[in-house]
């Protein structure tokens, strides 16, 4: 899949999932979608940047899911995101 096709498929997957209610999916699926989306759009995160007062339990889970993808390429993150959306 070339970069242009990958970007189009990623955008379509994002638009598809954005139209659905978050209540329809298990929390682990939502965390995976969040982490792959962040990795695909921002790359590796910087947990030192997070303000300690902003880090509540929910955000901690989200940050942890994203940290686990550290080093994954943007392209692979997009592919995994698309794969999850298509499986739903």
């Amino acid at each position: 899949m070339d970069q242009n096709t990958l970007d189009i498929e990623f955008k379509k997957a994002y638009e598809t999932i954005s139209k659905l209610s978050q209540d329809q999916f298990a929390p682990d699926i939502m965390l995976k979608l969040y982490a792959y989306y962040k990795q695909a759009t921002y790359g590796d995160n910087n947990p030192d940047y997070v303000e300690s007062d902003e880090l509540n339990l929910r955000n901690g889970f989200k940050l942890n899911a994203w940290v686990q993808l550290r080093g994954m390429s943007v392209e692979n993150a997009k592919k995994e995101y698309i794969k999850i959306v298509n499986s739903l």
Side-chain angles (χ1 to χ4, degrees):
M1 182 180 306
D2 67 42
Q3 186 62 44
N4 191 39
T5 303
L6 180 60
D7 290 342
I8 291 168
E9 291 298 313
F10 179 72
K11 184 178 180 184
K12 283 172 35 179
Y14 175 76
E15 289 171 354
T16 297
I17 206 72
S18 295
K19 293 176 185 173
L20 303 175
S21 170
Q22 292 183 6
D23 297 337
Q24 293 178 281
F25 308 109
D28 63 319
I29 298 297
M30 293 303 299
L31 280 173
K32 286 179 183 179
L33 286 169
Y34 171 83
Y36 284 120
Y37 178 82
K38 294 298 261 188
Q39 189 70 19
T41 55
Y42 294 99
D44 287 342
N45 63 8
N46 182 1
D48 298 332
Y49 179 74
V50 177
E51 299 285 330
S52 61
D53 59 336
E54 291 179 13
L55 192 58
N56 61 33
L57 185 59
R58 181 174 181 227
N59 286 340
F61 279 112
K62 290 166 65 174
L63 179 63
N64 184 52
W66 188 10
V67 165
Q68 291 179 32
L69 300 182
R70 186 174 289 252
M72 176 181 275
S73 72
V74 167
E75 291 78 17
N76 283 340
K78 287 180 179 182
K79 289 176 184 177
E80 289 300 317
Y81 184 89
I82 292 165
K83 190 186 308 182
I84 292 171
V85 172
N86 289 341
S87 74
L88 301 173

